[in-house]
Amino acid sequence: MKISETDILLIPGYGKTLPGHWILRWRDKMATARVVKQAELHAPAKKDWLDTLVREVEAAERPVVLVAHSLGCILVAHGAHVLKDKVRGAYLVAPSDWDRDGLVAEFDGGDFRPIPRDPLPFPTHLVASRNDPYCGYDRAEDLAKAWGATFQDAGEAGHINVESGHGPWPEGMMSFAHFMKRLG
């Protein structure tokens, strides 16, 4: 599947996406990509975030491919059943483990807990780091298996964000291109 033939919805996670983050760079590089903007970034409510994502998917004019980071990955898992008709695939990066107590001091995971474990109804690829402070590698691999996702070891890449040195993240763009090719 060609990027130009899809609407790429980029779904950031908890908190502000810093300038230079790969999500913002990908938005700028792909003409059919746009960031799903949530109203509340530091006290997210699953229903509000999911309603926003559903509106974005419904507004799409082409088949949709979701690209999510951190809490965005968990949102995709929560909403898969309502998104399945228009979504052709999901590329998930560095999911955060909100089932783990004390993940973020300011937010306890709210109604994003527990993380769904049902298989996702569309092709999914999950990229995880061996030293992500927000999700253990074994836990990420377990989520990939539960969701029926192919799994990619990103090595010791932290949370795959600006703070861990992944602004441009060219390896991610290559991996995403391979995922798109798999979608046909």
Side-chain angles (χ1 to χ4, degrees), residues 84-176:
K84 65 183 177 186
D85 293 336
K86 207 164 184 181
V87 172
R88 293 289 304 273
Y91 185 85
L92 309 177
V93 179
S96 44
D97 185 3
W98 294 95
D99 288 342
R100 189 171 88 194
D101 289 332
L103 189 65
V104 174
E106 302 82 23
F107 179 65
D108 69 359
D111 55 357
F112 287 92
R113 300 168 75 158
I115 295 174
R117 299 191 50 80
D118 298 326
L120 302 187
F122 34 73
T124 304
H125 184 75
L126 190 148
V127 181
S129 166
R130 290 189 169 269
N131 64 341
D132 187 337
Y134 299 104
C135 186
Y137 183 80
D138 291 341
R139 173 70 165 155
E141 191 172 27
D142 178 61
L143 288 172
K145 284 179 186 169
W147 294 339
T150 54
F151 185 74
Q152 181 179 343
D153 180 348
E156 294 196 4
H159 194 48
I160 312 177
N161 57 8
V162 173
E163 291 88 348
S164 65
H166 294 83
W169 196 38
E171 302 87 358
M173 182 58 84
M174 290 186 328
S175 170
F176 179 66

Side-chain angles (χ1 to χ4, degrees), residues 6-47:
T6 62
D7 282 325
I8 309 293
L9 297 183
L10 304 163
I11 308 164
Y14 173 84
K16 183 174 171 41
T17 303
L18 297 176
H21 193 290
W22 61 267
I23 277 187
L24 301 178
R25 291 172 183 255
W26 288 19
R27 175 202 60 199
D28 295 343
K29 287 182 187 261
M30 294 185 279
T32 63
R34 66 183 181 276
V35 174
V36 175
K37 296 180 181 170
Q38 300 291 353
E40 182 52 64
L41 300 175
H42 290 93
K46 181 179 72 177
K47 182 185 181 323

Side-chain angles (χ1 to χ4, degrees), residues 1-8 30-33 62-65 88 176-184:
M1 175 168 260
K2 293 181 180 178
I3 290 171
S4 62
E5 297 170 348
T6 62
D7 282 325
I8 309 293
M30 294 185 279
T32 63
R62 296 173 283 254
V64 172
V65 175
R88 293 289 304 273
F176 179 66
H178 288 292
F179 175 70
M180 290 297 293
K181 197 174 197 180
R182 266 187 34 217
L183 295 180

Side-chain angles (χ1 to χ4, degrees), residues 42-72:
H42 290 93
K46 181 179 72 177
K47 182 185 181 323
D48 295 341
W49 275 39
L50 187 54
D51 287 349
T52 299
L53 179 57
V54 167
R55 276 193 306 275
E56 289 286 337
V57 168
E58 288 174 351
E61 297 177 2
R62 296 173 283 254
V64 172
V65 175
L66 305 174
V67 176
H69 181 253
S70 194
L71 181 58

